[in-house]
Amino acid sequence: MRAAALVCKSYYSLLRYPVSVTRLVQRAAESGYTAVALADVNGMYGLVELTQTCRRHGLQAILGVEIRTPMEGVVLLAEDGTGYGNLCRITTARHLNRPFCLFTALRQDARGLIALGHDPALAQRLKAILGPDRVFIPGHDLAAMDITILDPDDVPTARLMNRIRVMGTGLNRDSDAPILTAMPPEPEFQRRFNTQALRNNMHLVERCTWNLLDEPCHLPRIPVPPGTTADRLLGQLCHRGLVQRYGRIRPEVLRRLEHELNAIRQSGFSDYFLVVREIIDFARSRNIPVDVRGSAAGSLVSYVLGLTRVCPIAHDLYFERFLNPGRTDCPDIDVDLCWRRDEVIQFCYDHWGDDHVAMICNINRYRRRGARRDAARVLGLDPSGPRRPAPHRPDDARLDALAKRLMGIPRHLGVHCGGLVITPEPVARLAPLERAAKGVVVTQYDKDAAEAAGLVKIDLLGNRSLSTVHETVCHLGLAAPDIEHLDPADKVTAQMLTRGDSFGVFQCESPGMRQLLRGLRVRHRKDLAVALSLIRPGPAAGGMKTAYIDRHVHHKPFTYLHPKLQEVFADTYGVMLYQEDVMKLAVEVAGYTVAEADRFRSEVSKRVSPARLQEQYQQFVYNKADHEGIDRETAEKIWDDILRFAAYSYCKAHATVYAHIAWQSAYLKAHWPQAFYCALFNNHHGMYPMRVYVWDAVRHGVCIRPCHVNHSGREWALEGPAIRAPLTLVKGLTGRSIERILTQRPFTDLADLRRRTGCGRKELATLIGMGACDGLGVCCSAMLAELACEPAAPGQGLLFDPVPEPSRRQRRYDEPAGRLAAELWATGIPFSMHPGRLLNAAYVPAGQLDRYRNRAVTVAGWIAAARRARTTDGRYMGFVTLEDATGLAEVTFFPDHLELYQRLCGMGGPVWVRGRVCEHLATLSVHATDAGRAG
C-alpha cells in the first residue's frame, strides 16, 4: 500500500516556501504517493486548489493547517466536515483574536481534528484534549516530514522570500528561517520510517476522506412567515410582480415564469433570490441607484422581483444561460451600485450580522513591478529605481534574476472590489478569515475558491454611470424624462452616437467603440447591445464585426453555412453575437439539451484541458451534428466559427443591461447636455482626463465657469446656463480652508478673504493665479503683490499705500498664457482657453481631418489616451488619442513604428505626429510615420 505525502507546505505559507500547489501535487503523483496533505503556516488559502488538483491527478487531498505562534507550532488535519469547520474557526481565531491561545481554541471544540506535534511534551498536552488516537509525533509514531521544496533551484527562492518577510521587522535575516526539505520518491519515503509509523500514515489516509468540493451551497436563509416556505414566498412575490410589470398577462409569459420558478425550486436557490431582493430593496429605499448585471438579467424572476429593469421577454433573453436544471453551482447575481456602495455593504453586515458576512479576498501575487521592488530592497538598491531593466548593468541583471523567481508567488491578501459572502451559520465555520492590509476582515479564499467551497458570493460592484444618470435626472427636476421609458429609437440620440459623439456615454467612449458606432450607424438602443458584443476581441479577430456591418448597414449578400442556422441567426445576419447564440446553435442546430448546451458553451468559452475540448469537438462534429443531418465538412466549419467567437463572447443579458444604461446616458447627453455634463463631472469615471470632458462640454455649447471663492462649492454645480467648477479641484487647498471659504463668504476684497478664512499664502497665491479671486482686486498681479505684504490690522489707518508695484513674474498672471499655466498647475483643466491655441507649429486641427482624406498631414496636441494591442502575428501596434482645441484625433502606430509610439508616450506636454489620414468604418485616423515634441 502506498503512503501519503505528509505534510506539504506551499507558497501559500506566505513568504516562507516557494512551491505551488500544482507542482506539489504533480510531483506527488509522479513519485507514487496516494494522497497529499497540505498544512500551510496559519493559512488555508490553498486547500480548494489542493482538492481540485488532487482530483485531476487521482490523488486524495488531506486538508490541514499549521497553527504557528511564537510559543508553539502544531499541524491540524481535518478528518471530516466537523474537523474542517474547526480548522476554519481556529485559523480565524489565530488571525483575529488577541491574545490567541491554541489550547483554549482546541478546548472549545476539537472534534474531527488530528494533531501533529514534534515536541513530546506538547503532544501530551494535545492528547489530553483530543485523545490519544488523534495526536501523532512525526517521525516517531507517524510517517511524516515537512515537505517544503521539490528541487535544488527552490532553495534560493525560499531564502529570498524569507529575507523579504523579515525585512522591516527588526529580526535577523536568518531568524525564523524555514527548514527546507525536498519530497522524496514514495518508496524512499517508506524506507525512512518504521512499520508502525507507516501503518499510521496509511490509516490516517483512510480516516481523512472528507472532500471539500462535495459540500452543497451554503445558502443564507430568509425568515419567512409561519406556515410558508421560501419557495412559496418567492412564488407569491413573483406573481404579484408579474401583474405590476405586465398588467394583462399572456399565457406564454406565465408559462415562462412557472418554468423559471420550478428550476429555482429544484436547484434550492429560492433563498438566494430573496436575499438579493432584500439588498436591492434596501438600496432603492435609500434612493441609491442600483441595477443587476450579467446573465441574471435574462431571468423573468429577476425582472418581476424588481432586481433588474430589463424585460427578458422583450429582449429575447435566455433564462438557461443563467440557470438550468443541469447546473449544480450557485448562479451569480451581480449587483451594480452607484458610489454609495459602502452603505449597502454595511446594510448586509447590520442585517445578517457581522459573523454571517465577510468580504472576499484577492490573493495579491508578485507581478513584474512588485517583484523588482522587493528584490531591490533585498539587494539594498533603491526600490523606486528605473522601471525598465537594463541587463547590461550588473545590479539590474541581479535584480531581474531575483525578481523572476518571485513572479506569480502570493505576497499578501487584498480586498475584492465588491464580492462578499452571506452565510446561514457563522462564516468562520465555513471558511477561514483574516484581516487584510486595509483592516477589513476577508475570507482566505478568493472568489473562485469561495464558490468552489460552497459559499454564496454576491458581488456589489461600483458603477458611477448609475450615479451620473441619477444625478442628471435630479438636476432636471420636473423637466426630467421618464428615465425608465425612453424612446429606444430616439433620432437625436441615435444621430449623436452615429457621429461617434459618445464621450461620457457608458461603455461607449473608447476610440474603438466610437469607430464602431460610426460604422454601425446606430438607429436603436438594441444597436448598442450589438456594439458591446462586436467590440470584443473574438468577433473582431474572427471577421464577425466586419461581416455584421457589411450585412446590416451595406446589405451585402451572404449565405448560411447550413439552412438550420437561418432559424437561429436570421436577426443577426448569420453572425454569432452573444454567448447565448452558442447555446441556441447547440440546441436548435445540433440537438443538445439546454443543460448540455450551457456546459458546451462554458467549455468552448473557457480554458479547459485539450482533452476536454477534444471531447466536445468529437461530440459536436461526429455525434450531435451528424445525427441532425449536418455533413462533416459543414460541422467542422461551424465548430471553427464557434471556437473563434466563444473565447471572447459576451453575455446577451449583460449586453442588454449595459445598453440600457448607455442609452439613458446618451439620451440625457443629447437632450440636456448641461445637466448631463455637470453630473458626469461629479462622477468622473471615464477613460480620459477630466480636461477632455470639460472641453467636450465646451464644444457642445456648455459654458464652463472656473473655480471662484465667492461662487464655487464642493462639487460641480449648475449656475444659470453654465456649470461652475468646485473648489475641491484646487491642488493644495485644504479641506479646512474650503470649509472656511464656504461658511465665511461672500468676500469684498483680498484682505477680507485673507482675514476671515486664515488661508495660507501658498493657498491664496494659487487661487489668485488661476483666477479664483477675480473681482477681489484690480488684477492678479496687484493681488499677488498685496499678498506679499503683511495684512493690515482691522481698522488700522495707513499714511501711504504699503503695496509695492507687482513684479515682472507676478504680471505674467495677467496674461492669457500665465493664467492658463496657473489653471493647469492647480486643477489640470484649462478653463480660460485651450492650450492648443498657443502651439506654434503649423498643424491640421483634429476637427478638420475630414478635409484631408488620403493625404499626409501633421496633427498636434496633448495625449488623452494611449494603448497597445497585439496583432495576429504576435507583434504590437500602438494607438494614441490626441486632443487639440477642436477635438480629438486618433493616431495609429503600426508594428514597424512601435518605437515611435513608445517614445511619444514618454514625452510630456504637447506632441506632434505626421502621417496619412485613412478611413475605416466611417472613422478617420492618422497612420503615423514620424512624431516629436511640439513647441
Side-chain angles (χ1 to χ4, degrees):
M1 194 172 175
R2 292 180 297 156
L6 300 179
V7 174
C8 298
K9 292 181 171 60
S10 74
Y11 60 18
Y12 288 115
S13 292
L14 300 181
L15 292 180
R16 293 178 186 273
Y17 308 113
V19 183
S20 70
V21 171
T22 298
R23 281 184 65 204
L24 281 170
V25 175
Q26 286 175 343
R27 182 64 60 86
E30 294 165 0
S31 300
Y33 291 93
T34 188
V36 177
L38 184 68
D40 281 308
V41 177
N42 296 329
M44 298 168 61
Y45 319 98
L47 295 189
V48 172
E49 185 180 343
L50 171 77
T51 309
Q52 293 170 330
T53 311
C54 281
R55 176 173 285 184
R56 288 196 297 270
H57 286 81
L59 302 184
Q60 181 178 324
I62 299 174
L63 310 186
V65 64
E66 180 183 347
I67 300 298
R68 188 181 295 185
T69 70
M71 303 299 296
E72 65 248 338
V74 174
V75 170
L76 299 176
L77 304 177
E79 186 176 22
D80 51 28
T82 302
Y84 170 77
N86 279 323
L87 278 189
C88 295
R89 176 184 58 81
I90 293 171
T91 303
T92 299
R94 172 66 184 88
H95 285 278
L96 301 185
N97 292 2
R98 294 290 184 271
F100 168 78
C101 176
L102 173 61
F103 295 100
T104 300
L106 287 170
R107 289 189 190 99
Q108 183 179 338
D109 189 354
R111 291 174 298 160
L113 291 177
I114 295 171
L116 314 182
H118 289 275
D119 182 3
L122 177 63
Q124 287 302 315
R125 294 183 66 187
L126 291 169
K127 287 179 180 179
I129 301 172
L130 279 76
D133 63 333
R134 293 182 178 274
V135 180
F136 299 93
I137 301 176
H140 176 65
D141 54 8
L142 178 68
M145 57 194 292
D146 280 343
I147 299 169
T148 56
I149 60 171
L150 297 179
D151 302 307
D153 191 54
D154 293 325
V155 174
T157 306
R159 290 175 177 165
L160 171 63
M161 295 167 69
N162 185 63
R163 290 278 302 278
I164 294 169
R165 182 171 55 84
V166 301
M167 275 190 307
T169 63
L171 299 173
N172 182 280
R173 72 182 190 184
D174 296 319
S175 66
D176 198 23
I179 298 172
L180 304 177
T181 308
M183 178 187 291
E186 195 271 346
E188 181 184 332
F189 180 86
Q190 290 210 30
R191 287 194 293 270
R192 295 187 182 189
F193 301 99
N194 62 51
T195 303
Q196 184 58 46
L198 285 168
R199 189 177 294 118
N200 286 339
N201 175 298
M202 296 168 188
H203 183 50
L204 191 145
V205 174
E206 295 171 358
R207 293 169 66 178
C208 300
T209 58
W210 184 79
N211 193 303
L212 178 57
L213 301 183
D214 294 338
E215 282 291 279
C217 287
H218 302 289
L219 289 161
R221 302 298 176 194
I222 290 291
V224 296
T228 190
T229 63
D231 290 341
R232 192 174 303 164
L233 178 59
L234 180 64
Q236 291 169 352
L237 292 170
C238 285
H239 281 280
R240 191 182 307 157
L242 192 68
V243 174
Q244 293 171 349
R245 287 288 198 187
Y246 293 100
R248 192 171 181 179
I249 302 165
R250 303 194 310 273
E252 61 270 23
V253 176
L254 187 59
R255 282 196 299 271
R256 170 154 175 176
L257 178 63
E258 289 302 329
H259 165 70
E260 292 191 16
L261 286 172
N262 284 334
I264 292 167
R265 292 181 193 120
Q266 290 169 15
S267 303
F269 296 141
S270 293
D271 281 285
Y272 181 50
F273 279 84
L274 294 172
V275 165
V276 176
R277 175 180 174 269
E278 287 199 355
I279 294 172
I280 289 178
D281 281 355
F282 167 80
R284 294 211 170 107
S285 72
R286 297 298 191 276
N287 206 26
I288 298 173
V290 60
D291 208 344
V292 162
R293 68 161 74 171
S295 61
S299 165
L300 182 60
V301 168
S302 295
Y303 182 58
V304 298
L305 275 182
L307 308 187
T308 180
R309 301 175 295 174
V310 170
C311 172
I313 307 294
H315 294 276
D316 190 27
L317 302 181
Y318 216 29
F319 169 70
E320 283 74 14
R321 169 62 183 84
F322 171 62
L323 182 65
N324 62 71
R327 185 167 183 172
T328 55
D329 60 323
C330 190
D332 274 343
I333 301 180
D334 297 337
V335 180
D336 272 352
L337 296 152
C338 75
W339 60 269
R340 294 171 60 190
R341 179 172 62 103
D342 287 348
E343 294 178 44
V344 181
I345 291 175
Q346 188 59 51
F347 161 78
C348 294
Y349 280 97
D350 295 341
H351 187 68
W352 282 282
D354 287 356
D355 55 342
H356 289 260
V357 180
M359 298 297 292
I360 296 286
C361 83
N362 280 331
I363 297 178
N364 293 323
R365 300 171 186 268
Y366 275 109
R367 298 169 73 174
R368 180 178 166 275
R369 187 179 300 176
R372 282 177 59 83
R373 183 179 61 244
D374 276 2
R377 293 168 60 211
V378 168
L379 293 174
L381 304 175
D382 180 8
S384 60
R387 291 183 180 178
R388 294 190 178 181
H392 58 277
R393 293 200 297 263
D395 281 346
D396 263 16
R398 291 182 63 202
L399 181 61
D400 270 359
L402 290 181
K404 194 174 294 184
R405 290 184 173 275
L406 296 173
M407 296 290 283
I409 290 177
R411 189 184 190 278
H412 63 277
L413 293 194
V415 184
H416 187 273
C417 61
L420 55 78
V421 293
I422 303 173
T423 56
E425 57 184 288
V427 183
R429 279 283 182 180
L430 302 173
L433 306 175
E434 70 173 80
R435 204 174 299 280
K438 294 182 179 180
V440 178
V441 173
V442 298
T443 62
Q444 286 190 344
Y445 296 150
D446 66 11
K447 64 182 182 67
D448 294 328
E451 289 179 349
L455 299 176
V456 177
K457 176 176 67 73
I458 299 173
D459 282 332
L460 303 180
L461 303 164
N463 184 340
R464 283 188 171 265
S465 283
L466 293 174
S467 304
T468 299
V469 170
H470 177 73
E471 187 177 324
T472 304
V473 170
C474 291
H475 284 321
L476 295 174
L478 296 176
D482 182 351
I483 199 65
E484 296 304 329
H485 299 92
L486 302 176
D487 179 2
D490 179 69
K491 288 185 177 180
V492 177
T493 305
Q495 289 168 359
M496 181 189 78
L497 293 172
T498 297
R499 294 193 301 270
D501 182 7
S502 56
F503 287 109
V505 176
F506 180 57
Q507 295 280 305
C508 293
E509 54 183 3
S510 71
M513 192 63 168
R514 289 186 286 116
Q515 178 194 62
L516 180 55
L517 293 175
R518 293 186 188 104
L520 275 175
R521 298 182 188 174
V522 176
R523 295 191 293 267
H524 194 278
R525 181 175 59 199
K526 289 184 179 180
D527 292 334
L528 290 182
V530 171
L532 288 171
S533 183
L534 287 178
I535 198 66
R536 307 278 289 177
M544 297 176 187
K545 180 169 77 173
T546 302
Y548 184 90
I549 291 174
D550 285 344
R551 297 168 190 179
H552 173 65
V553 176
H554 305 296
H555 310 292
K556 182 178 179 179
F558 67 97
T559 56
Y560 293 93
L561 284 173
H562 192 276
K564 281 192 172 186
L565 293 177
Q566 186 169 0
E567 303 170 17
V568 180
F569 299 126
D571 291 341
T572 60
Y573 312 99
V575 174
M576 282 183 283
L577 285 178
Y578 308 108
Q579 292 172 355
E580 289 86 339
D581 290 341
V582 177
M583 292 178 66
K584 286 182 178 179
L585 185 153
V587 172
E588 303 294 336
V589 177
Y592 284 71
T593 66
V594 172
E596 290 172 339
D598 188 51
R599 189 161 53 251
F600 175 78
R601 172 206 60 79
S602 177
E603 293 194 358
V604 299
S605 302
K606 298 177 181 177
R607 290 182 179 176
V608 296
S609 68
R612 187 71 194 113
L613 193 61
Q614 181 66 17
E615 286 178 27
Q616 287 289 7
Y617 164 77
Q618 295 281 348
Q619 178 77 348
F620 180 83
V621 174
Y622 290 90
N623 295 336
K624 294 290 189 178
D626 184 64
H627 185 268
E628 294 297 317
I630 300 174
D631 65 87
R632 186 74 45 81
E633 183 180 355
T634 301
E636 294 270 9
K637 290 179 179 177
I638 295 173
W639 171 262
D640 289 342
D641 280 351
I642 289 171
L643 281 192
R644 279 200 308 271
F645 168 74
Y648 298 99
S649 56
Y650 212 49
C651 171
K652 184 179 182 181
H654 186 67
T656 303
V657 170
Y658 273 15
H660 184 78
I661 302 172
W663 189 260
Q664 287 179 332
S665 55
Y667 187 96
L668 293 171
K669 176 179 177 176
H671 291 274
W672 291 278
Q674 183 201 9
F676 172 79
Y677 279 108
C678 185
L680 181 70
F681 297 162
N682 281 326
N683 298 282
H684 180 224
H685 57 274
M687 65 179 294
Y688 301 100
M690 178 67 86
R691 70 171 193 271
V692 174
Y693 296 99
V694 168
W695 276 86
D696 189 56
V698 171
R699 287 189 288 271
H700 280 79
V702 179
C703 176
I704 306 296
R705 293 174 178 163
C707 307
H708 196 282
V709 293
N710 274 338
H711 305 291
S712 294
R714 289 190 177 85
E715 294 186 332
W716 295 84
L718 300 180
E719 190 176 280
I723 299 174
R724 175 67 72 176
L727 291 172
T728 49
L729 285 180
V730 182
K731 183 167 65 176
L733 190 61
T734 66
R736 177 184 174 277
S737 294
I738 292 174
E739 180 66 24
R740 294 289 295 271
I741 289 171
L742 295 179
T743 55
Q744 295 294 319
R745 70 186 188 191
F747 307 105
T748 56
D749 54 32
L750 179 62
D752 186 28
L753 169 65
R754 194 176 184 183
R755 182 175 62 252
R756 289 199 281 139
T757 64
C759 289
R761 282 188 180 179
K762 286 186 177 179
E763 292 177 306
L764 290 172
T766 299
L767 291 169
I768 293 168
M770 61 176 289
C773 295
D774 285 1
L776 302 186
V778 176
C779 60
C780 283
S781 59
M783 285 188 282
L784 288 170
E786 179 183 346
L787 186 63
C789 302
E790 288 297 324
Q796 178 182 350
L798 297 175
L799 295 177
F800 56 89
D801 185 357
V803 179
E805 281 291 311
S807 67
R808 183 176 180 180
R809 182 173 179 275
Q810 291 167 339
R811 284 197 180 96
R812 70 174 185 167
Y813 290 102
D814 295 332
E815 300 170 359
R819 169 66 60 88
L820 176 64
E823 291 172 342
L824 286 171
W825 183 88
T827 68
I829 301 171
F831 290 100
S832 56
M833 62 183 295
H834 196 284
R837 296 180 182 175
L838 300 180
L839 289 175
N840 295 323
Y843 67 94
V844 174
Q848 297 178 17
L849 282 178
D850 59 331
R851 305 177 187 176
Y852 295 86
R853 284 178 174 85
N854 300 315
R855 292 167 60 185
V857 299
T858 299
V859 291
W862 279 255
I863 295 177
R867 69 179 183 92
R868 293 194 316 168
R870 198 166 188 170
T871 62
T872 53
D873 61 359
R875 297 193 297 169
Y876 284 93
M877 295 178 62
F879 300 91
V880 167
T881 302
L882 280 187
E883 177 203 10
D884 68 15
T886 65
L888 281 85
E890 304 300 336
V891 182
T892 302
F893 294 82
F894 287 97
D896 292 343
H897 291 94
L898 188 65
E899 185 179 345
L900 191 63
Y901 162 83
Q902 293 169 334
R903 191 167 73 244
L904 191 77
C905 291
M907 297 177 184
V911 297
W912 60 265
V913 176
R914 182 150 184 87
R916 181 170 295 277
V917 179
C918 299
E919 184 174 6
H920 178 62
L921 294 181
T923 298
L924 299 175
S925 65
V926 177
H927 292 184
T929 57
D930 198 8
R933 190 188 306 276

